[in-house]
Amino acid sequence: MKNFYCRCGARLFFDNTQCLSCLRTLGVETAELRLLAFRDDKPPTGWRRCGNAAALGCNWLVRAAATTNVCRACELNTTPFIAEGECEAERVQRGDVERAKRRLLYSLLALGLPVLPRRKAGNLGLAFALERGSEGQPVLTGHNEGVITLNLAEADPAQRENVRISLKERYRTLLGHFRHEVGHYYWYVLVQDRSPLADFRHLFGDERQDYAEALKQHYGADSNSQPGDAFISNYAASHPWEDFAETFAHYLHMVDTVETAAEQGFTKVAAVGPGAKRRFERLLDQWYELSVSLNALNQSMGLYDAYPFAISPTVAGKLRYVHDLVHSTREALAPRWYAPWKAGQLAVARSG
């Protein structure tokens, strides 16, 4: 995440809706991923506020010429922004989920990956079903052909921690969920039936093995076994699809955190942006140093490790695969590193 500053000179943060110094209204424009400051709720020429600004504090802007009244993040939702009958606590949870989703989308746009709604790209488009289940109708977080479903109950920290402990996971957050599930989506649009598939199978295994049976075995009697050096997490060992999704999520962890650290002056070179291709070794070196420091800082505060994982040479090879996939995609379809994709370009990429 980049540093942002108001016209008055005050430091701003990505989720801010107002400058606390000069009281200007703030909004994220997605053409160049800038946080803009303006007076009287009047965004700069060519932009207007998201229609969900009042509902849950969405601070993203919409192009004035757009046919929709919501921003690029909100238009990806398949479900109402606020469901009827939600109490205030549930609305707060929905707001937390939306903030995590916007942070995910910021990273995807910065990396030049496709972020297209299904109304424009059909089944190749991305959508989010943010739903609240009931005792008789549970909601399972997951991905299905471009639709990412997330159980809004995951926004309850107590419930999320209970699930993490019961599944013996080392890490479980809203942003982590989104990064994992979007990894499934990018396998679906960038790897499936395309030339990277042979390399994928060499590194991750054959995804044609029975997925349901693989998960059954994972959650069975041997689910507590350690995955060894070949996988970034225990869950990654369950099936090649999950291995890729977990690896993709960790790549986003690395890129986002290293960029943030660079903006804060902790590291010298950011991991994303122009010229980042073939700098995977540099990214990995930065991440080794930074993750050790983050863990030490957390321990100094009496907290769990921020990054309780070890990257073996085998896992590093899988991360390199994701890195090369991301950067080759960006070079082929997005001349400017932050440029949004056009609907026609995705079809060209899949036929190449």
Side-chain angles (χ1 to χ4, degrees), residues 13-31:
F13 298 94
F14 180 67
D15 294 319
N16 288 164
T17 58
Q18 186 178 51
C19 174
L20 297 180
S21 179
C22 68
L23 303 184
R24 283 184 171 90
T25 302
L26 305 175
V28 175
E29 62 90 352
T30 54

Side-chain angles (χ1 to χ4, degrees), residues 168-338:
K168 296 180 172 59
E169 296 176 342
R170 297 181 179 181
Y171 171 93
R172 191 178 183 93
T173 67
L174 290 174
L175 185 54
H177 276 313
F178 279 129
R179 286 173 173 167
H180 174 95
E181 299 305 338
V182 88
H184 284 298
Y185 168 69
Y186 285 120
W187 188 92
Y188 169 64
V189 297
L190 298 179
V191 180
Q192 179 180 246
D193 300 328
R194 297 191 64 229
S195 58
L197 188 55
D199 291 337
F200 166 84
R201 287 175 178 165
H202 175 73
L203 286 170
F204 296 89
D206 192 337
E207 82 289 352
R208 291 170 293 188
Q209 63 182 273
D210 191 298
Y211 180 69
E213 182 61 28
L215 289 190
K216 181 180 177 181
Q217 291 183 14
H218 170 74
Y219 289 116
D222 296 331
S223 62
N224 294 330
S225 61
Q226 295 302 310
D229 293 338
F231 304 96
I232 190 64
S233 69
N234 193 22
Y235 191 50
S238 63
H239 189 276
W241 281 339
E242 298 302 342
D243 193 6
F244 178 84
E246 284 284 89
T247 304
F248 192 95
H250 279 257
Y251 180 74
L252 292 186
H253 292 338
M254 293 166 59
V255 169
D256 244 26
T257 310
V258 169
E259 182 190 53
T260 303
E263 286 287 306
Q264 305 305 320
F266 297 149
T267 60
K268 294 182 180 179
V269 182
V272 298
K277 185 170 174 60
R278 299 187 185 90
R279 281 169 41 199
F280 177 75
E281 290 81 4
R282 174 64 174 163
L283 168 63
L284 196 59
D285 287 343
Q286 288 178 313
W287 182 242
Y288 281 140
E289 296 178 8
L290 184 59
S291 60
V292 169
S293 299
L294 288 173
N295 289 344
L297 289 170
N298 267 28
Q299 291 162 10
S300 295
M301 291 293 295
L303 301 173
Y304 295 118
D305 285 352
Y307 190 74
F309 304 93
I311 297 178
S312 68
T314 301
V315 170
K318 295 176 181 180
L319 287 165
R320 176 188 282 278
Y321 174 90
V322 173
H323 173 86
D324 291 343
L325 179 68
V326 167
H327 285 280
S328 62
T329 298
R330 183 172 71 191
E331 284 192 351
L333 303 178
R336 299 168 70 191
W337 70 276
Y338 51 76

